[in-house]
Amino acid sequence: MILARGCPKPNAEAKRRGQMRILDTVGYAQTREAKRAVNDLYRPPAPQPKTPVRSLLRVLRQGDGDLLSLVPIDAYRKPYTYLGYSRRSILLVNDPGIAREILTDPLEVFPKNDLMVGALEPLVGDSIFVSSGDRWRRQRAMIDPAFSQLRINTAFASMQAAVDDYEDELDRRSESGEVFSLDHAMSELTADVICRTIFSRSLASQTAREVCDSFTEFESSVASVNLRQLIFGKPWADVRQPAAVLDACERIRRHIGDLVDPRLDGGDPAADDIIEAVLAARDPETGEGFSREELIDQLGVFFLAGHETTASVLTWAFFVLSQREELKRRLRAEVAECAGEDTVGIQDVKRMAFVRNVFRETLRLYPPITFIPRVASEATRIGRYRVKKGAMIMVSPWTAHRNALLWRNPDRFDPDRFDQNRFDPNRLDAAREEDKGVLMSFGLGPRVCIGAAFATVESGLILARLMRRYDFEILDPGAVRPVARLTTRPAEDIQVRVRRRAGGE
Ligand code: HEM
């Protein structure tokens, strides 16, 4: 338990003004005034954690593939905890130091988890997201340059073009007053960004649209199967996928092949896009490039890892912003200050600190990759736990980011906690020095997300432009509830209406 570390002692003046320091539930010192300020902070939707047995019963009864419902209440408080009711042991890790050790793993004791690898293999083969050891090192060295800062600067024009077109679409929806799904809207927009930045094709093209639709099918059917295997399966057992999932994988790979082939045979002129960078990549030792199949594997990963993740965080960010006038006001003021009514450029996005803090705080409360799974390839120890060979290790951004031992007011949406320049000892509700947590939404260590900078710039642009131009009205905010499937998503579509703002550029 963290006890009031770093907080100044109450002085006579504070006592006189009735600002006696009090201890909150985890022992942080607070003035009454600060406590009131905390109560003003928004508490966005989260599931009510239950005991382990109740969690298991809920999972089995509901069968909706929601991994969040497996997480018992203890997991939110302890540095690491066993989920004790599965056939193979599952260790959930909250502690940032231990998480970093597992994800850094210089002895390669904790490779990518067999269940995840098995589930993704029909789609992305043995590509960068799932591979291990020397094979992964070779792939990472070859792909890193495709996501360099220079590339992102070039890709930014394609991101802007995708947002231009999406604004036309939202203008139409604003005029018609139609109700639509916020999560689908974000998936469409981020899929278009990925298509344009990877292939220089907009989602409007037939093949790109078909890839996107098949991904939606893949994502909706893949997760629920794995949850039963997670609880009842043996380590390294075959992961069997239903025919619908395998069909979707086959279709996606065929369509990606259709997009790759014209580049390989010179039918399409070279463009300054990500596929061109991956085509140009050479193995540092052998000097060889990727084969056609390997290219399809890697491009499948960019689609899979790069579009639903960003769609997830944007969905939650727009939802939270739609609920808080004060956050909207501050965000719009910053956009006006940095970009006025002009096009939002990449340098503007980099200057928008509040927009970035909203993005980070959303990543904290709704990490798109809810759990980062590994497997113990041999018997070992983690902290004080003995870990059997085959144990499933779940580094858990979801619970680590909501752990009251690591974050102050963990369930409150407080973007200012990430504001490095604003530490104010009189504002204990926003005392960043009290936050001991580490943001692990992009992973940690050598396998940290290759697209983190890409996603940060893309999300900043989308938040700035769409919040400047529209109001988002959520029809039933009380019904919104997060679940963890392939990413952290709302259990049901969030129904929304947009309205073009008067004077909103
Ligand atoms: C907000 C958006 C995103 C989030 C939260 C996110 C999260 C993550 C996380 C947690 C990992 C580490 C997984 C692990 O260690 O098992 C990862 C890896 C990866 N991500 Fe992202 N990602 C995002 C966007 C993107 C984008 C836009 C791309 C590319 C277009 C991308 C491509 C990848 C790839 C290729 C890896 C594997 C890296 C490796 O193993 O070397 N991601 N991502």
Side-chain angles (χ1 to χ4, degrees):
M1 189 167 286
I2 300 164
L3 271 173
R5 228 177 290 157
C7 295
K9 294 248 162 20
N11 57 29
E13 175 60 10
K15 275 185 191 164
R16 193 181 58 73
R17 290 202 309 255
Q19 292 178 332
M20 280 293 292
R21 285 180 192 285
I22 49 177
L23 294 183
D24 67 13
T25 46
V26 289
Y28 288 114
Q30 290 188 320
T31 60
R32 286 189 199 288
E33 196 179 60
K35 214 163 164 78
R36 254 195 308 278
V38 173
N39 289 335
D40 286 345
L41 289 171
Y42 178 50
R43 188 201 296 256
Q48 194 61 43
K50 298 191 167 39
T51 60
V53 174
R54 280 173 164 235
S55 308
L56 179 63
L57 287 177
R58 194 201 154 278
V59 168
L60 296 178
R61 200 175 46 237
Q62 212 132 311
D64 59 0
D66 172 24
L67 277 164
L68 277 188
S69 46
L70 255 183
V71 179
I73 194 153
D74 269 4
Y76 288 85
R77 303 180 190 135
K78 295 188 175 171
Y80 38 85
T81 181
Y82 264 116
L83 302 186
Y85 38 67
S86 62
R87 178 170 180 179
R88 75 195 283 187
S89 40
I90 306 176
L91 186 67
L92 211 73
V93 177
N94 269 333
D95 181 273
I98 298 176
R100 194 179 290 280
E101 271 177 38
I102 291 167
L103 297 179
T104 302
D105 185 24
L107 302 177
E108 301 186 352
V109 177
F110 302 109
K112 291 269 177 153
N113 182 274
D114 53 300
L115 258 185
M116 184 191 72
V117 173
L120 297 184
E121 197 269 336
L123 181 62
V124 297
D126 195 11
S127 58
I128 181 168
F129 198 82
V130 286
S131 60
S132 300
D134 286 343
R135 191 177 162 79
W136 166 75
R137 271 185 284 280
R138 164 184 175 263
Q139 294 177 346
R140 180 86 191 205
M142 288 171 76
I143 292 173
D144 260 336
F147 291 92
S148 66
Q149 196 53 54
L150 205 65
R151 273 282 147 207
I152 295 170
N153 291 349
T154 312
F156 192 76
S158 304
M159 295 180 187
Q160 281 173 316
V163 181
D164 288 345
D165 283 0
Y166 213 71
E167 282 189 345
D168 291 345
E169 173 60 21
L170 289 181
D171 283 355
R172 190 191 63 69
R173 293 183 193 183
S174 166
E175 264 171 43
S176 70
E178 76 186 67
V179 172
F180 58 95
S181 153
L182 178 61
D183 14 338
H184 286 193
M186 290 302 126
S187 292
E188 265 173 19
L189 176 51
T190 56
D192 194 21
V193 168
I194 283 288
C195 278
R196 290 178 196 245
T197 50
I198 296 182
F199 300 116
S200 300
R201 298 261 185 122
S202 93
L203 199 60
S205 78
Q206 182 63 18
T207 319
R209 164 62 59 195
E210 282 171 10
V211 174
C212 190
D213 290 348
S214 306
F215 261 102
T216 311
E217 248 178 85
F218 171 79
E219 279 153 2
S220 61
S221 34
V222 78
S224 53
V225 186
N226 288 340
L227 201 50
R228 283 183 176 269
Q229 195 159 0
L230 175 78
I231 299 167
F232 300 117
K234 283 192 209 155
W236 293 289
D238 273 353
V239 177
R240 261 179 251 125
Q241 299 283 19
V245 173
L246 296 176
D247 274 3
C249 295
E250 203 272 318
R251 247 175 300 131
I252 293 169
R253 293 186 63 86
R254 188 156 32 85
H255 292 316
I256 294 181
D258 291 344
L259 292 165
V260 167
D261 287 339
R263 288 295 178 89
L264 286 174
D265 61 24
D268 265 5
D272 204 359
D273 50 19
I274 290 176
I275 187 176
E276 212 52 38
V278 180
L279 276 170
R282 292 289 173 268
D283 183 322
E285 278 171 23
T286 65
E288 278 178 26
F290 286 123
S291 69
R292 179 179 181 276
E293 283 308 292
E294 284 178 315
L295 273 172
I296 295 175
D297 293 345
Q298 311 298 357
L299 296 173
V301 166
F302 299 162
F303 229 104
L304 180 76
H307 115 266
E308 277 302 314
T309 44
T310 316
S312 156
V313 66
L314 286 172
T315 299
W316 291 109
F318 280 106
F319 173 76
V320 169
L321 288 167
S322 73
Q323 302 303 298
R324 305 309 281 181
E325 281 307 318
E326 170 64 6
L327 296 180
K328 274 193 282 195
R329 193 191 54 69
R330 287 178 64 191
L331 188 141
R332 283 170 179 157
E334 184 177 73
V335 179
E337 191 187 316
C338 294
E341 294 187 356
D342 299 338
T343 307
V344 176
I346 191 162
Q347 292 311 328
D348 301 325
V349 171
K350 289 182 179 167
R351 272 199 306 274
M352 291 177 192
F354 186 69
V355 173
R356 199 160 44 253
N357 289 343
V358 167
F359 173 66
R360 284 183 187 147
E361 182 66 340
T362 314
L363 281 176
R364 184 183 71 84
L365 280 174
Y366 299 101
I369 297 198
T370 336
F371 305 102
I372 305 176
R374 295 290 189 269
V375 60
S377 62
E378 57 188 62
T380 181
R381 289 191 81 89
I382 293 180
R384 66 186 173 84
Y385 283 117
R386 239 191 264 274
V387 172
K388 282 192 201 149
K389 178 175 176 177
M392 166 139 5
I393 315 296
M394 304 272 256
V395 172
S396 172
W398 178 271
T399 49
H401 293 172
R402 289 171 179 266
N403 188 326
L405 300 178
L406 300 174
W407 299 91
R408 192 176 170 73
N409 311 314
D411 54 357
R412 305 287 171 152
F413 191 90
D414 180 10
D416 295 330
R417 74 172 79 237
F418 289 109
D419 190 343
Q420 306 301 324
N421 307 319
R422 258 192 78 244
F423 176 65
D424 172 359
N426 296 315
R427 279 206 51 208
L428 293 173
D429 58 310
R432 281 143 297 279
E433 288 185 357
E434 300 282 340
D435 284 336
K436 311 271 185 288
V438 169
L439 197 63
M440 33 174 120
S441 308
F442 286 118
L444 296 170
R447 301 202 70 151
V448 69
C449 177
I450 213 168
F454 180 104
T456 305
V457 166
E458 173 192 6
S459 302
L461 173 71
I462 293 173
L463 280 169
R465 291 221 10 211
L466 300 191
M467 284 308 296
R468 173 168 77 175
R469 195 172 172 99
Y470 304 101
D471 269 320
F472 290 78
E473 182 205 341
I474 310 291
L475 264 53
D476 189 2
V480 173
R481 174 176 71 89
V483 291
R485 299 226 167 87
L486 220 50
T487 55
T488 306
R489 305 294 308 223
E492 311 291 339
D493 288 358
I494 300 181
Q495 299 297 326
V496 67
R497 218 180 260 126
V498 283
R499 236 175 263 119
R500 187 84 195 260
R501 294 177 60 232
E505 168 267 342

